[in-house]
């Protein structure tokens, strides 16, 4: 029986020095072994994602850590494609930040929404420095019961690692989450750490970096869930 290739676009600018970028191929390999699928991750440099980019060739999308990206527009274009075309999507760290930004601009109509890392003085800096930087930190996260992310982890409380300085600006959080974007993961101080999109087969973004577990020999549940979602959509 033929085992079709599951093609996952890795949205980001590859850097072999970035720990998460080292972990991602390992995580995908683990997910392939667990699911019995032929999984191929392909790096998509953000400046290559123009209006003519062949995004339709991919079964799923993973917007990866290490921003600011070389092309903000390229990253947002790929995220928008995954959202509108209902392709399975995972965003981790910078991917979380840009998934939120894409939703704010293109669904909520906040055309002035920006990332505070590049425009710190803007009126609508949607992503701003965290009160406590999460660089090389590990913390507990409570997951909303019944959410896709809780189903992937098969529990409602997890511990994950970060390398992050920016999160959702508390000024805009309530308005941001009034529609289809849902907060499904919070730390012990109720800081927003994971979101999902309602009425989408699989659209999850986390401020933490679940892929890092792969470097310790632990298969990341969210990466397996992404592959399973791609497989289900293919069938």
């Amino acid at each position: 029986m033929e085992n079709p290739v599951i093609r996952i676009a890795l949205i980001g600018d590859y850097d072999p020095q970035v720990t998460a970028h080292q972990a991602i191929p390992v995580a995908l390999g683990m997910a392939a072994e667990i699911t019995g699928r032929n999984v191929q991750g392909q790096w998509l440099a953000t400046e290559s994602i123009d209006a003519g980019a062949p995004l339709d060739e991919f079964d799923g999308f993973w917007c990866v850590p290490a921003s600011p990206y070389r092309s903000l527009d390229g990253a947002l274009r790929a995220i928008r494609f995954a959202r509108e075309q209902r392709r399975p999507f995972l965003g981790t760290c910078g991917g979380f930040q840009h998934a939120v930004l894409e939703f704010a601009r293109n669904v909520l109509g906040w055309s002035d929404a920006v990332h505070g890392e590049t425009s710190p003085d803007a009126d609508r800096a949607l992503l701003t420095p965290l009160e406590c930087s999460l660089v090389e930190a590990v913390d507990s996260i409570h997951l909303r019961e019944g959410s896709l992310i809780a189903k992937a982890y098969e529990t409602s409380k997890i511990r994950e690692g970060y390398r992050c300085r920016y999160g959702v600006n508390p000024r805009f959080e309530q308005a941001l989450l009034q529609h289809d974007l849902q907060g499904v993961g919070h730390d012990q101080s109720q800081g927003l750490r994971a979101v999902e999109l309602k009425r989408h087969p699989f659209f999850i973004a986390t401020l933490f970096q679940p892929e890092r577990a792969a470097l310790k020999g632990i298969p990341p549940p969210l990466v397996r869930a992404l592959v399973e979602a791609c497989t289900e959509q293919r069938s």
Side-chain angles (χ1 to χ4, degrees):
M1 185 175 177
E2 186 182 359
N3 190 4
V5 175
I6 300 296
R7 298 192 66 207
I8 296 176
L10 304 175
I11 307 161
D13 306 311
Y14 178 69
D15 181 347
Q17 301 303 313
V18 173
T19 301
H21 291 190
Q22 298 166 17
I24 284 166
V26 182
L28 288 173
M30 287 179 165
E33 187 173 347
I34 291 169
T35 61
R37 300 295 171 183
N38 184 356
V39 180
Q40 180 185 94
Q42 180 176 327
W43 290 90
L44 277 189
T46 54
E47 72 265 35
S48 74
I49 307 172
D50 56 22
L55 299 178
D56 200 49
E57 295 179 359
F58 296 97
D59 300 296
F61 294 81
W62 182 352
C63 192
V64 306
S67 62
Y69 304 123
R70 289 199 287 266
S71 172
L72 172 69
D73 289 343
L76 296 186
R77 181 176 285 114
I79 296 169
R80 183 173 188 170
F81 179 88
R83 178 179 57 77
E84 293 182 340
Q85 301 302 315
R86 298 172 61 78
R87 300 289 172 92
F89 173 86
L90 176 63
T92 56
C93 194
F96 168 98
Q97 297 162 10
H98 288 76
V100 165
L101 184 58
E102 190 281 324
F103 183 85
R105 286 188 178 184
N106 297 320
V107 178
L108 300 183
W110 297 357
S111 59
D112 59 339
V114 296
H115 197 308
E117 190 170 21
T118 52
S119 303
D121 299 323
D123 290 338
R124 205 189 295 263
L126 187 59
L127 290 310
T128 47
L130 296 162
E131 283 189 18
C132 182
S133 177
L134 292 171
V135 175
E136 302 307 327
V138 176
D139 200 7
S140 297
I141 302 118
H142 180 77
L143 306 177
R144 181 190 292 185
E145 291 189 18
S147 62
L148 288 173
I149 189 171
K151 290 175 183 175
Y153 278 94
E154 300 180 336
T155 183
S156 61
K157 190 171 183 180
I158 61 174
R159 285 184 65 80
E160 286 285 6
Y162 299 81
R163 184 177 175 81
C164 184
R165 293 183 177 87
Y166 286 80
V168 171
N169 186 338
R171 283 179 53 208
F172 303 115
E173 183 174 328
Q174 185 176 358
L176 180 73
L177 300 177
Q178 277 185 343
H179 301 274
D180 283 351
L181 199 65
Q182 297 182 298
V184 292
H186 294 83
D187 68 7
Q188 296 183 67
S189 302
Q190 290 305 301
L192 182 64
R193 300 294 178 255
V195 294
E196 288 180 8
L197 198 55
K198 286 194 291 186
R199 291 186 280 276
H200 191 289
F202 188 94
F203 192 105
I204 299 174
T206 71
L207 201 58
F208 52 87
Q209 297 185 353
E211 58 269 33
R212 283 180 166 229
L215 296 178
K216 299 177 181 177
I218 303 168
L222 274 180
V223 182
R224 184 200 70 232
L226 173 65
V227 170
E228 289 174 343
C230 292
T231 303
E232 190 171 323
Q233 185 160 52
R234 282 285 291 266
S235 63

